[in-house]
Amino acid sequence: MVRTVELRSDTFTLPTESMRNAMATAELGDDVWDEDPTIHRLQDRAAEMVGKEASLFVPSGTMGNLCALISHARPGQEIILEIDSHIFQNEVAGASVVGGLQLRPLDTQDGRLRPDQVGAAIRPADIHEPSTGLLCLENTHNRKGGTCLTPTQTRALCAVAHEAGFPVHLDGARVFNAAVALRVDVRELTAPVDSVMFCLSKGLSAPVGSMLAGSAAFIDHARRMRKMVGGGMRQAGVLAAAGLCALNEMVDRLADDHANARRLADGLQGLPGVEVDLSRVETNMVFGDCRPPLTAGEFIDRCREVGVLLDQASPHRWRMVTHRGVSAEDVDYAIAAVQRLLGTPALSPLRAAG
Ligand code: TLP
């Protein structure tokens, strides 16, 4: 039987029954007037979970990051971040367009910036140069494999920024995945940073929304910025109700997604034509490279024909993401399907190369 295994992203997760029920009965008000009680409950709960004074519900992770960047830094300032970070690669240059900010990307092997590397990128007080306004971290790091920054690494990086006098923002779209994988309270990963954005709509399965958390003064300013970029919503409590279920009911089960990603990576590793770096599989993502002449585009098209959906990361690189909608049986089906595909003449890299 052909089934569909959705491995393109954890953004494909659908709301749970408990979320649907909570949405149907949520108490509502106008959140632009700051009068939606369900939004208040979500914002209080989110702030408490990440150990910050306040938080703000935003429609997307992209908007949360943008509001953070333009709240922390002034036009003309430079932001240090990792070269494959979502903010640098996937947010349509919003920080530059809306915030007038210059981005300073630094390269790493595995998404983990080093304190000495950040230190060396800080601008001196020179009239010709922009001043450094912010350091951005990403945990887990998406494009480098879903890799985690530990509490110690986070603290060391923040110390460099704070000593130089500028703040740190964490793109923690999947910071709960990091906390679960590292077996630490998420506060250990968020306490050292000045602000954190995390997504409710990825592995946590809510239909829409992300949270931005930080000091009360920072969140007050970010609320104005959210309004400026069109993110002020009215009876948004209908979405916040699902977000509360996400925070209260969906964090611990992320461990299942991590086990499934490991199972998937183990099953795919060693197949002819694809290469999977097992050492990078720390959370719910599996990246692989196709060996030429096989391209990721070809591989993805053929996988789709057998019901296995995955995402392209570069001409030869693909990504599979596990989540609540992918069971261990789905993983086994996907492995067997890919195994069969790589054995077929049309895709067999050995045959094509010979
Ligand atoms: N990531 C999406 C795509 O945009 C690539 C995905 O499928 O992984 N930070 C990180 C680290 C992210 O991975 C994402 C989304 C965001 C921010 C933005 O969140 P949204 O999609 O809610 O704007």
Side-chain angles (χ1 to χ4, degrees):
M1 195 192 72
V2 177
R3 55 168 103 189
T4 301
V5 186
E6 179 55 82
L7 294 165
R8 283 176 294 177
S9 183
D10 47 10
T11 59
F12 283 85
T13 43
L14 296 172
T16 61
E17 206 179 320
S18 143
M19 289 178 189
R20 298 247 191 206
N21 291 336
M23 291 171 82
T25 56
E27 224 189 314
L28 304 175
D30 189 328
D31 183 51
V32 173
W33 289 59
D34 206 15
E35 288 182 13
D36 188 302
T38 311
I39 284 280
H40 282 171
R41 280 173 53 218
L42 173 65
Q43 290 177 167
D44 291 349
R45 175 77 179 123
E48 180 215 330
M49 280 177 86
V50 295
K52 299 291 177 205
E53 273 176 4
S55 87
L56 184 70
F57 181 69
V58 285
S60 67
T62 301
M63 191 186 284
N65 282 334
L66 178 61
C67 290
L69 268 52
I70 63 181
S71 296
H72 280 304
R74 294 190 311 277
Q77 284 195 308
E78 188 167 77
I79 297 182
I80 299 175
L81 75 187
E82 206 273 344
I83 196 162
D84 274 326
S85 62
H86 197 273
I87 293 173
F88 187 61
Q89 298 286 353
N90 293 99
E91 299 191 2
V92 210
S96 306
V97 176
V98 181
L101 299 166
Q102 173 162 298
L103 301 183
R104 175 82 176 273
L106 306 182
D107 203 0
T108 69
Q109 276 290 309
D110 55 11
R112 292 181 263 259
L113 289 166
R114 294 186 323 273
D116 62 308
Q117 189 182 20
V118 171
I122 296 172
R123 297 284 188 167
D126 180 318
I127 194 171
H128 301 91
E129 300 189 29
S131 66
T132 305
L134 183 69
L135 167 66
C136 286
L137 305 176
E138 184 171 311
N139 197 11
T140 63
H141 195 296
N142 181 348
R143 290 169 68 96
K144 288 272 163 69
T147 49
C148 304
L149 271 179
T150 65
T152 308
Q153 288 163 340
T154 308
R155 280 195 298 271
L157 286 160
C158 291
V160 174
H162 291 154
E163 267 161 40
F166 55 87
V168 181
H169 171 67
L170 172 63
D171 175 347
R174 297 182 180 82
V175 73
F176 285 100
N177 290 84
V180 167
L182 295 166
R183 294 191 169 85
V184 297
D185 188 311
V186 72
R187 290 185 193 86
E188 290 205 49
L189 302 173
T190 55
V193 301
D194 300 274
S195 62
V196 52
M197 182 286 291
F198 63 91
C199 294
L200 304 167
S201 61
K202 299 195 164 60
L204 300 183
S205 300
V208 177
S210 297
M211 306 304 300
L212 176 62
S215 70
F218 169 81
I219 291 298
D220 267 356
H221 188 68
R223 179 176 284 111
R224 285 183 69 79
M225 298 299 101
R226 182 186 69 174
K227 189 75 180 82
M228 184 182 82
V229 297
M233 295 182 287
R234 303 298 177 175
Q235 285 73 40
V238 76
L239 301 172
L244 274 163
C245 298
L247 290 181
N248 293 333
E249 298 163 18
M250 305 305 286
V251 173
D252 293 343
R253 63 149 308 286
L254 294 173
D256 299 345
D257 301 341
H258 301 170
N260 279 335
R262 170 55 56 176
R263 186 184 184 99
L264 184 60
D266 285 340
L268 295 175
Q269 202 240 1
L271 292 182
V274 295
E275 218 156 313
V276 176
D277 183 356
L278 285 180
S279 69
R280 293 270 181 91
V281 183
E282 298 178 18
T283 54
N284 67 332
M285 294 187 181
V286 179
F287 280 77
D289 290 305
C290 290
R291 289 197 198 98
L294 182 62
T295 66
E298 257 179 288
F299 180 59
I300 290 166
D301 287 347
R302 291 299 305 280
C303 284
R304 179 178 275 276
E305 287 168 18
V306 293
V308 179
L309 307 184
L310 53 144
D311 192 23
Q312 183 156 0
S314 77
H316 286 284
R317 202 160 166 75
W318 47 263
R319 180 185 80 161
M320 297 184 184
V321 186
T322 55
H323 52 80
R324 200 183 105 254
V326 177
S327 65
E329 293 73 42
D330 289 330
V331 166
D332 293 342
Y333 172 86
I335 294 167
V338 172
Q339 231 160 11
R340 275 195 305 275
L341 270 184
L342 291 172
T344 60
L347 259 192
S348 169
L350 302 173
R351 184 85 65 103

